[in-house]
Amino acid sequence: MTVPSISITLTGSGGSGVMTAGNLLLEAAGRAGWYGLMTRSAGPQIRGGEAAAMLRLAAEPVLSHQDRYDILLGIDWKNADRFATEIPLDGDSLVVGDGEPPAVFAEAAGQQHHLELQKIAKEIPGGRPNMVALGVAAAMLGLPESVIAEVLEKALGRKGEEAVSAGLAAVRAGMEAAATLPRFDTLAVGEASQQSAREPRWNISGNEACGLGAVRGGIRFVAAYPITPATEVLEWLAPALPKLGGALVQAEDELASVNQIIGGSFGGTPSLTATSGPGLALMMESIGLAVASETPIVVINVMRGGPSTGIPTKSEQSDLNIALYGLHGDAPHLVLAPLSIADCLFTTQWSVVLAEKLQTAAIVLSDQALGQTRTLIPAQADPGLVAERLTAQAPVEGNYERYALTESGVSPMAIPGLAGAQYTADGLEHTVTGMPSSKADDHHRQMDKRQRKLEQHDFGDDWARIEGDLDAETAVLTWGSSYGAVSEAVAGLRGEGQKVRVVAIRLLAPAQPERLAEALKGVKRVLVVEQSHGGQFFRYLRAFYDIDAEMRSMAVPGPLAIRPSDVRKTLSDWS
Amino acid sequence: MTVPSISITLTGSGGSGVMTAGNLLLEAAGRAGWYGLMTRSAGPQIRGGEAAAMLRLAAEPVLSHQDRYDILLGIDWKNADRFATEIPLDGDSLVVGDGEPPAVFAEAAGQQHHLELQKIAKEIPGGRPNMVALGVAAAMLGLPESVIAEVLEKALGRKGEEAVSAGLAAVRAGMEAAATLPRFDTLAVGEASQQSAREPRWNISGNEACGLGAVRGGIRFVAAYPITPATEVLEWLAPALPKLGGALVQAEDELASVNQIIGGSFGGTPSLTATSGPGLALMMESIGLAVASETPIVVINVMRGGPSTGIPTKSEQSDLNIALYGLHGDAPHLVLAPLSIADCLFTTQWSVVLAEKLQTAAIVLSDQALGQTRTLIPAQADPGLVAERLTAQAPVEGNYERYALTESGVSPMAIPGLAGAQYTADGLEHTVTGMPSSKADDHHRQMDKRQRKLEQHDFGDDWARIEGDLDAETAVLTWGSSYGAVSEAVAGLRGEGQKVRVVAIRLLAPAQPERLAEALKGVKRVLVVEQSHGGQFFRYLRAFYDIDAEMRSMAVPGPLAIRPSDVRKTLSDWS
Amino acid sequence: MTMTMTEQMLADEGCPAMTAKDYRSDVKPVWCPGCGDHGVLLALTKTLAELQLAPEKVSVVSGIGCSSRIPAYLNTYGFHGVHGRSLALATGLKVSRPDQTVLVAGGDGDGFSIGGNHFLHACRRNVDLTYIVMDNQLYGMTKGQASPTSAPDWEKGKLTPGGTGINPFHPLVVALASGANFIARVSGTNANGAVPILKEAIEHPGFSLVHVLSPCITYNREQLDWKKMVRPAPVEATNDPGRAARRLMTDDNLNLGVLYKGDRAPYQPDLRSRGVSVADLEAPFQV
Amino acid sequence: MTMTMTEQMLADEGCPAMTAKDYRSDVKPVWCPGCGDHGVLLALTKTLAELQLAPEKVSVVSGIGCSSRIPAYLNTYGFHGVHGRSLALATGLKVSRPDQTVLVAGGDGDGFSIGGNHFLHACRRNVDLTYIVMDNQLYGMTKGQASPTSAPDWEKGKLTPGGTGINPFHPLVVALASGANFIARVSGTNANGAVPILKEAIEHPGFSLVHVLSPCITYNREQLDWKKMVRPAPVEATNDPGRAARRLMTDDNLNLGVLYKGDRAPYQPDLRSRGVSVADLEAPFQV
Ligand SMILES: Cc1ncc(C[n+]2csc(CCOP(=O)(O)OP(=O)(O)O)c2C)c(N)n1
Ligand SMILES: Cc1ncc(C[n+]2csc(CCOP(=O)(O)OP(=O)(O)O)c2C)c(N)n1
Ligand code: SF4
Ligand code: SF4
Ligand SMILES: [Mg+2]
Ligand SMILES: [Mg+2]
């Protein structure tokens, strides 16, 4: 069953403060006892161009946007038409704003209302149109003034009382101006706030969640080079790490950042970097070094549109190939992907633990849609997974073998400072002690060992999220952020009585063929959903899994998010 | 049927001149009317360590080494045992040399002979043991003294008559000393030289062949950074290009070299670089730029043992994954692999033509075994394939659209200097004119276009080499240098009356599923042979091809070459 | 509008002179209003008009960053490559097409952080390129992080909350140390003042660095003060590296003008045909 | 063998002193007989003995090249990383483990060609590292190509048949220009002469560059002449960058000794606990 929710977009030109209004609305919704999410979109201007804040507010946590918007609220309409494909409207939609909306919206929407936001704002000392718009939105959604007041106080408090009261006055004026507008208060705020407002909740983005997950997992050293849309992971970590006795170093480039974290990890500190496609490409050589030298590192890759510089501000799942296969030589490593914004927390934390445990590189594939979307979710308790590296211990007896051929494939790692276990880590193929070797035996043994580590580890039940009907003959197989739309689509279909199962893979490499076979038992048809042009996930499944069912690929490239309705339609059309 | 051939290894410690002797022997064999190949192997010392020259001489061109050696000839035996796994001996093998051979050889070989090479050499003014050894080898193989004399003259002529006559005296002494040794003159030199000596032949390595293929295809600008085992491609090109009015620039690193060739190609000059795994990894980001900006480039990757620095001096086919999948985003491009040393010529040349024609990046996967092995082959006529880029022509009418959505996907490219067609090439997603765009429509259209170029091109019959029985139920599917051993193995089995087909893929990407289906018609069992640990080729076939037959993977990592007998055995064991 | 000298000469000869506007494409810049890069774009179009170079004979190569967007705004050939590699791409273009005038443009992050190695080697290789670095002492495109030229105590860099705490990179000193053949500084807020210097840089053979103080009004408004702080360099350009070194070592980043002019010959492989055919190269393979 | 002063002191205190041999592992070097790197290895073990550093408190990080093989020959911790990235790896190690003495070693190709950018930024970041560059003005490991420090007319470089034709890279000048805190040169063929300088470099806080003339006897035998040509620098080390710049600009590559000694504070993040827990960081997310 789909969650009852309302979708509203605020739009406006440069300097109109649309993002501020959107953020306040989201925060207020949280205080009022709702859940929801907010995505931003902006024009090509570096700053000061037109922007849109797209919100979905709901009575329960939601993972994706809806197929359509209930309300489009224009602070002004300058260049708003560039968002047309991102903001689908229909006969039930309402367009409200100052002046004539772009034809594309006017034609699509069922209703149109004009409100003189500029004029109303001018009449209030210190009043701004975006605050008036916030009031309009609050009124239409049925958000109580008191909640808006709280939120304003928190956001503008630093600027002094005057700012707060000017803001509030504008909000009030907006609420009044909206008196005659239709209401979209189906969420019954009153009830929601009674019921669940006591449940503590967070307002967090996926990038922030990756940062928090990282330090929960034990990361204390980060080196990185900024890149859109990964920068906020780093911006969150930069002030956080020193508080925990750690450090973040801004490196000169990605070649440096990945090597810095290899150095940090060699020194015994769990270490991480975050980047996006172009930066990941630059890191691949040295990620291979981490694999060969068995030095644990975590690389968060927040995907954006590709190839090359591509579309830096938009989401796509098209870095799956490079993450899985982009290392030269045979270089087994870990690839994981969070399934939702909230899951950025757990998946990053788990990745840290796995990389440390298996002494290898873990690539975490988040994306712009997860990373830069803010969401309201229940507060997330720390599951307590913390990095535990198998280290060599004093006293060291005999000749220390850094790359000893253990049964598990994991060998005790000496940390500089431990007397008697000095060794040289090496990216050249090596003997058990780390001495370079080009002998076939050494090569085979070390390759087997590096593979064995991953094959023999029991990854448990977190490899995927499985939901839906156990007796379904149809399954949707997906990964990463596409899970949001898939989950919503399948909930809708199941609400209509159809039987469908969803398997959303969190652990992409190493492949878990037996687990997937188990998860797909009885399934006859598998729809593979991903946001790429080339069907990268579909191809990967074919390569590494024996799926005993008819498979179809639904691969849709970015920049637009996959919509639940697209998934529903594809499933329905498959007869 | 297997080709009648003789395999001999010369070995010796640093400074013993084993490589000189080996090279002279190969050259002499060529003059005598034989074919063959020679591989070098050396210890870990940078220079002056022990070395082995492994030759196979045959009446017809050969693609791989045999499973065993007939003769092991030690100029001395110091550290020769480190080559034990590379030089399999058996009861029919003969070990000849100065002093006691290492136990591992002595035990394996059927016969042993001692010859005092040092002492014999000392007795000749200016005589050297390696020349004595050359004489011994010549005598055992039945190579006439006159041919050796010719070769010595050519090689030592520059050093003066004295050097030549000292060399020849030593060779003669060696021949005499070998008088009582068994003969391995099954190749009937006399006849061979009569029959086929008139056929002109070449002594060439795969790396040189790549260089020649490149300039035949039209390459006139090369930028590169040295790396083992690719350097000889560049060393051949460095003096060659200026002669043709081109240039080679030694770049500061691989990031620079790949961008330099993108710049060269943007300027209208067919451009290429050569590297190996670690360097390829560094280039991936910018190869993506070539794909997105549709700037043709060719990247030769001479593979070595991986992962990371791995085993720089040994061969492996483990860079298939990175070549196919290592670009971030969806970035369709070309991947080709030469099937033999001689084929390095054609495949490189064809790659240049394809990259230029399809305005994209081509990665050519050669490897150390092809690149650094010298072979005797019939002289290779130039097939006359030359780069032809679809360029915009003067006068330019109207608004020039660099990325016009043509049917073929290929758009006329303006070369700087053409008036009226100025445009900016871009790695950002773009409109048809090249203007940055994050619109879904533009993204989809350009991605379709870049894909379409590759899908719609008719690659003709050169995509693979197909040989063997048309009515076979068993096929071996392979690629690149593994084809040599496979071909020899299958020839052997067919000589014994078995029906087998071989399909060796030269064009790896884009995949050619219909062509392969046609090539495998009637086949029930497919053995997939490759030199990797992870079965990269096998996985790729599963991902992109529907093969209606039982498939098995024979994936053997380096550093030892796959032997024909291994392939035969695997096929025989499959019952 | 009065004509420049070159324009006058061309007009006298009956050729229609190109004006600055003819070098502008019709693409609208993404830059913030007030960004110094607007001035650089203007200065560049004026310079090209001064030089009366045919637009198709000029290529402008850049990396990634706000400043690196400039090629698309010009009516010349252009390449907007990946982050930090513009000098390498331009090197390949220029050595294989010496007939093109090749300009390279970008930011301090693109050129001195990720692109630092190519900067070093471009200086010493001395290919005939003109490199225009729009320095705003931060990363604009990624929304305000410190760059190598940021002051160590600039606390607003989003990854360096307490300031970077490290020595800023001195592009002019490093350029001189590694062999650049022409070194100058201009202000992005004074397009007309920049024109003669850009012209000289383009005309000077070999590798020319033009350091532009180009304020980012969005992430460091204080840079607007540069306009008032800059001054013409108090002394004439020198061609003595030792003297230039002494001067640049104490340079406070505010001296405008040509600061060093060397006379090393540019690196340019000879591309004339030698009358050798591909087939001729096969001889050494013959047994 | 006579004892060094430190050894004597330790012996007096009853501690068993470490000798140079105690810092050597039992791995046999792959270097050619006569290669200058043998001397560097010897000098390094002697220096470590002078300093009496516990082997487990020392890490030696390198890239790829003949010279970069050195870590495995020492009985310290070591990391033989990828080509050109040793300074970056060492930076991560040192800032997160300031208790370790971190040395970085490699060749001119590794450090100044592919590694040039990290060299620039290591100099300016000034982490407390000692960087020992064994300069043989060529790539030994890949069998004899020109490096950034090769003479422009060296015709034996296999990819530059007529000579590189470009300005050699002056590591000391670039180091100074980009902010290195200690700059010295030693000869690989005089291990004993190198010891006091290496010792001083390791003890000096911040980023120290030790340029080693380390002849490659295989690909450029003429470098054996260096032994006769080198001389102690005629003047004392200066701490004035301006004066050092003047000197280094005219340096002929043959002056041995400490050439510059700065006093900038090293970059080292404060890793002391602030008593904050991970849970404390969650507060700002609460609605
Ligand atoms: C490989 C890679 N890493 C990081 C980025 C992200 N990025 C884009 S522009 C930029 C910095 C731009 O700074 P600068 O060159 O000074 O230009 P400005 O925007 O200040 O003009 C960065 C880090 C990228 N595009 N590619
Ligand atoms: C990414 C990468 N590119 C190229 C190489 C090949 N390579 C290995 S060592 C080396 C140069 C070594 O020169 P230098 O650092 O001067 O060391 P030397 O051998 O002279 O001591 C090169 C180019 C490599 N290993 N990795
Ligand atoms: S962010 Fe700064 S550098 Fe970028 S366009 Fe705006 S003002 Fe210019
Ligand atoms: S090749 Fe040169 S640098 Fe390398 S080990 Fe031999 S002498 Fe030393
Ligand atoms: Mg900048
Ligand atoms: Mg060197």
Side-chain angles (χ1 to χ4, degrees), chain B residues 110-171:
Chain B
Q111 286 188 60
Q112 251 190 67
H113 290 271
H114 295 265
L115 282 180
E116 299 193 295
L117 303 173
Q118 303 282 345
K119 210 179 132 203
I120 299 171
K122 267 209 190 113
E123 283 161 11
I124 296 156
R128 296 192 58 212
N130 64 333
M131 290 297 119
V132 180
L134 177 60
V136 172
M140 284 195 288
L141 302 176
L143 278 172
E145 191 191 306
S146 59
V147 176
I148 306 278
E150 274 173 52
V151 169
L152 273 182
E153 176 63 44
K154 187 179 161 192
L156 302 178
R158 287 170 307 146
K159 297 198 181 170
E161 229 174 280
E162 219 162 305
V164 178
S165 58
L168 203 54
V171 166

Side-chain angles (χ1 to χ4, degrees), chain A residues 316 330 443 448 533 539 543, chain B residues 316 330 443 448 533 539 543:
Chain A
E316 203 163 66
D330 286 295
H443 188 39
D448 288 346
H533 188 254
R539 298 286 171 191
Chain B
E316 204 164 65
D330 286 295
H443 188 40
D448 288 346
H533 188 255
R539 298 287 171 190

Side-chain angles (χ1 to χ4, degrees), chain A residues 2-62:
Chain A
T2 35
V3 179
S5 70
I6 292 188
S7 292
I8 173 169
T9 288
L10 279 69
T11 179
S13 60
S16 66
V18 54
M19 287 308 167
T20 308
N23 278 325
L24 291 169
L25 189 58
L26 186 72
E27 184 85 7
R31 298 224 163 193
W34 294 352
Y35 289 96
L37 37 81
M38 174 179 131
T39 299
R40 308 140 161 260
S41 186
Q45 302 306 112
I46 306 296
R47 208 172 175 179
E50 58 281 4
M54 296 175 275
L55 288 91
R56 180 183 181 191
L57 304 174
E60 286 170 36
V62 284

Side-chain angles (χ1 to χ4, degrees), chain C residues 112-114 116-117 120-121 124-125 148 164 166-169 173-174 176-177 179 241 245-246 249 264 267, chain D residues 112-114 116-117 120-121 124-125 148 164 166-169 173-174 176-177 179 241 245-246 249 264 267:
Chain C
F112 307 140
S113 196
I114 192 168
N117 203 30
L120 276 182
H121 291 279
R124 77 181 195 87
R125 196 179 278 119
T164 64
I166 59 180
N167 217 28
F169 182 82
V173 185
V174 175
L176 184 75
R246 219 166 34 233
M249 276 298 204
R264 283 202 297 128
Y267 173 81
Chain D
F112 308 140
S113 196
I114 192 168
N117 202 31
L120 276 182
H121 291 279
R124 77 181 196 87
R125 196 178 278 118
T164 64
I166 59 179
N167 217 29
F169 182 83
V173 185
V174 175
L176 183 75
R246 218 165 35 232
M249 277 299 207
R264 284 202 297 129
Y267 173 81

Side-chain angles (χ1 to χ4, degrees), chain A residues 42 82 85 255 277-282 284-285 288-293 304-314 316 318-319 321-332 426-429 437-441 443-444 447-448 450-451 531-536 538-547 556-560, chain B residues 42 82 85 255 277-282 284-285 288-293 304-314 316 318-319 321-332 426-429 437-441 443-444 447-448 450-451 531-536 538-547 556-560:
Chain A
R82 84 173 318 277
T85 53
L255 305 159
L280 181 66
L282 289 174
M284 295 314 280
E285 186 204 10
L289 175 64
V291 171
S293 68
R304 61 195 219 181
S308 194
T309 312
I311 311 183
T313 55
K314 299 285 172 183
E316 203 163 66
S318 53
D319 291 351
N321 273 347
I322 183 175
L324 289 169
Y325 300 109
L327 297 167
H328 68 276
D330 286 295
D426 209 322
L428 278 169
E429 193 53 286
S437 167
S438 60
K439 291 214 181 106
D441 275 0
H443 188 39
H444 295 191
M447 292 218 288
D448 288 346
R450 292 189 292 258
Q451 181 75 42
Q531 195 181 23
S532 82
H533 188 254
Q536 301 184 4
F538 179 72
R539 298 286 171 191
Y540 176 61
L541 292 170
R542 285 182 52 126
F544 281 84
Y545 289 87
D546 289 304
I547 295 174
V556 188
L560 299 177
Chain B
R82 83 174 318 278
T85 53
L255 305 160
L280 181 65
L282 288 174
M284 296 313 280
E285 185 204 10
L289 175 64
V291 170
S293 68
R304 61 194 218 182
S308 193
T309 312
I311 311 183
T313 55
K314 298 285 172 183
E316 204 164 65
S318 54
D319 292 350
N321 273 348
I322 183 175
L324 290 168
Y325 300 109
L327 298 167
H328 68 276
D330 286 295
D426 209 322
L428 278 168
E429 193 54 286
S437 167
S438 58
K439 291 214 182 105
D441 275 0
H443 188 40
H444 295 190
M447 292 218 288
D448 288 346
R450 292 189 292 257
Q451 181 75 42
Q531 195 180 23
S532 81
H533 188 255
Q536 301 184 4
F538 180 72
R539 298 287 171 190
Y540 176 61
L541 292 171
R542 284 182 52 127
F544 282 84
Y545 290 87
D546 289 303
I547 295 174
V556 188
L560 299 177

